[in-house]
């Protein structure tokens, strides 16, 4: 009696699926794994269309079995083991060369809506708009009353009198509200795709690392730039933008050192002497009446502006005299020219 070995024939569609997935894995550097566990088919199709409109031929979206995906990775020369923890449930795979962080940020902003069911949580504020509902008067009027929605009957139908907020973010949607929303065609529940992880050139990036807080990132970059600039200024790093800040600071510090040491040069004399005089006046002011006994006249804060104003007036008077002198010389030259003809 002979025993024949029976080999299981692999369906042709699975072979083709593995080949196509392997070719995509070789062609693109980034693969994103998207969780479809709680995504209704209708909303998934709408989101897919939005992604394809945004990225065009830069992305390829494929829903495939996890086992076939792993076989495809092996066939493409990629070790699937780092991705094993994410290959559970129903998944969609995105193949692309787009930066994974850019891809994740874009997909996080793309969504579809679906009708609310009793027990759902309102993701945003829900408002019933004013206008004709198209409903005939009847028991439904009591539902509006329970929801505290002002209505009136006009032309044989129920009208909502004004825009009315019926739920705020985080509220649980009641059976009555869910029924009214469905009848009005309002879909308040937001459906988004959730990326589990992204794979790029051998590196697996989990979901919590993919979505960046851009404002916080900008702040961190700005702080890092400022810190680097401060270090550069301190060490006088020979970079034009750094030296623009470092040189004035170095000059001020050199002047301060010269003033402390009493070192006077033609360039710093005004600063050093001015600082010494200011300190002397401060000491004299602190002596109070003792300064008068010593014959030291202290210029008060009130007198200083007056003296400055007086000096300013003197300088202005000198300028006017100079202008008069210049004008008279010009007039004299003009008179000589007219007199002698030259």
């Amino acid at each position: 009696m002979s025993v024949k070995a029976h080999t299981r024939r692999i369906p042709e569609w699975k072979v083709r699926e593995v080949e196509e997935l392997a070719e995509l894995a070789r062609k693109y550097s980034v693969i994103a794994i998207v969780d479809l566990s709680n995504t209704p088919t209708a909303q998934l199709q709408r989101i897919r269309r939005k992604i394809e409109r945004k990225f065009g031929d830069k992305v390829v979206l494929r829903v495939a079995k996890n086992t076939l995906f792993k076989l495809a990775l092996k066939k493409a020369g990629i070790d699937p083991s780092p991705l094993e923890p994410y290959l559970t449930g129903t998944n969609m795979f995105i193949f692309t060369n787009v930066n994974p962080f850019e891809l994740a940020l874009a997909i996080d902003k793309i969504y579809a809506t679906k009708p609310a069911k009793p027990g759902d949580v309102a993701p945003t504020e829900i408002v019933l708009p004013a206008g004709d509902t198209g409903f005939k008067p009847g028991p439904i009027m009591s539902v509006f009353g329970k929801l505290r929605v002002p209505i009136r009957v006009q032309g044989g139908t129920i009208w909502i009198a004004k825009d009315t907020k019926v739920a705020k973010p985080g509220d649980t949607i009641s059976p009555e509200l869910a029924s009214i929303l469905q009848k009005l065609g309002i879909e308040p529940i937001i459906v988004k795709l959730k990326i589990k992880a992204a794979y790029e050139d051998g590196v697996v990036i989990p979901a919590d690392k993919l979505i960046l807080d851009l404002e916080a990132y900008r702040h961190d970059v700005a702080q890092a730039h400022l810190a680097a600039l401060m270090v550069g200024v301190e060490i006088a790093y020979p970079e034009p933008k750094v030296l623009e800040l470092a040189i004035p600071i170095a000059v001020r510090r050199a002047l301060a050192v010269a003033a402390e040491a009493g070192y006077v040069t033609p360039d710093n004399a005004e600063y050093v002497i001015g600082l010494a005089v200011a300190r002397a006046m401060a000491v004299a002011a602190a002596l109070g009446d003792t300064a008068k006994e010593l014959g030291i006249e202290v210029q008060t804060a009130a007198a200083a502006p007056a003296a400055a104003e007086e000096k300013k007036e003197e300088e202005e008077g000198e300028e006017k005299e100079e202008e008069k002198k210049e004008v008279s010389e010009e007039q004299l030259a003009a008179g000589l020219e007219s007199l002698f003809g030259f």
Side-chain angles (χ1 to χ4, degrees):
M1 180 178 177
S2 62
V3 179
K4 293 183 179 179
H6 294 279
T7 57
R8 183 182 174 186
R9 187 172 180 275
I10 300 175
E12 186 63 28
W13 72 267
K14 287 187 177 181
V15 175
R16 288 198 307 271
E17 183 79 0
V18 171
E19 289 288 349
E20 290 173 6
L21 290 172
E23 180 60 29
L24 290 170
R26 283 190 287 263
K27 181 179 179 181
Y28 295 100
S29 61
V30 175
I31 304 172
I33 304 172
V34 180
D35 185 9
L36 298 183
S37 300
N38 298 311
T39 308
T41 303
Q43 281 69 36
L44 173 60
Q45 295 306 317
R46 282 151 61 181
I47 292 174
R48 286 188 65 155
R49 286 194 292 271
K50 290 181 180 180
I51 293 174
E52 288 168 351
R53 280 199 299 269
K54 179 172 181 60
F55 290 103
D57 58 1
K58 293 181 181 179
V59 300
V60 177
L61 311 178
R62 294 291 294 266
V63 177
K65 292 183 178 295
N66 296 323
T67 52
L68 299 182
F69 177 71
K70 285 189 283 186
L71 288 171
L73 290 182
K74 290 178 181 178
K75 194 172 184 65
I78 299 172
D79 180 12
S81 56
L83 294 172
E84 289 277 3
Y86 308 102
L87 297 177
T88 58
T90 305
N91 296 307
M92 181 173 72
F93 304 97
I94 302 178
F95 299 87
T96 183
N97 288 324
V98 175
N99 180 282
F101 298 97
E102 179 185 349
L103 178 70
L105 284 171
I107 289 179
D108 187 58
K109 295 176 182 177
I110 295 173
Y111 64 90
T113 58
K114 70 174 184 177
K117 296 181 296 185
D120 282 345
V121 175
T124 58
E125 184 178 89
I126 301 175
V127 175
L128 300 187
D132 187 3
T133 65
F135 304 151
K136 299 294 183 183
I140 197 171
M141 296 175 71
S142 63
V143 178
F144 281 114
K146 188 173 182 180
L147 296 173
R148 297 182 179 179
V149 178
I151 58 173
R152 68 177 187 273
V153 177
Q154 179 179 327
T157 58
I158 299 172
W159 287 61
I160 296 176
K162 63 178 183 178
D163 291 353
T164 306
K165 181 172 71 175
V166 290
K168 61 181 183 296
D171 284 353
T172 300
I173 295 176
S174 65
E176 294 82 7
L177 179 55
S179 174
I180 288 293
L181 291 172
Q182 289 185 21
K183 285 181 170 63
L184 291 172
I186 297 174
E187 298 184 347
I189 304 302
I190 293 173
V191 178
K192 288 185 176 184
L193 294 184
K194 180 183 177 184
I195 296 181
K196 292 181 176 180
Y199 173 91
E200 182 180 26
D201 297 329
V203 178
V204 177
I205 309 168
D208 61 338
K209 304 295 183 184
L210 279 171
I211 304 297
L212 301 176
D213 185 338
L214 293 182
E215 288 305 317
Y217 191 73
R218 287 191 188 98
H219 177 267
D220 290 344
V221 170
Q223 289 295 107
H225 176 266
L226 181 60
L229 194 60
M230 291 171 65
V231 171
V233 168
E234 286 298 319
I235 65 174
Y237 187 77
E239 175 70 25
K241 290 185 178 178
V242 174
L243 293 178
E244 286 178 10
L245 299 173
I247 291 174
I249 291 175
V251 170
R252 287 198 297 272
R253 288 176 177 176
L255 286 173
V257 171
E260 288 296 326
Y263 181 75
V264 181
T265 69
D267 293 328
N268 73 2
E270 183 178 355
Y271 176 82
V272 174
I273 295 172
L275 184 61
V277 169
R279 288 179 175 176
M281 296 302 291
V283 171
L287 291 174
D289 293 337
T290 306
K292 294 180 181 179
E293 294 174 3
L294 296 173
I296 301 173
E297 184 180 349
V298 181
Q299 189 177 27
T300 63
E309 185 65 28
E310 184 178 344
K311 183 179 180 181
K312 183 179 178 182
E313 289 176 358
E314 289 177 359
E315 290 175 351
E316 289 177 353
E318 290 174 359
E319 289 176 0
K320 288 179 180 178
E321 288 295 327
E322 188 66 28
E323 288 175 2
K324 288 179 181 178
K325 182 179 179 181
E326 290 175 359
V327 171
S328 62
E329 288 177 352
E330 289 174 359
Q331 291 173 340
L332 178 60
L336 290 172
E337 182 178 354
S338 61
L339 180 62
F340 294 101
F342 61 88

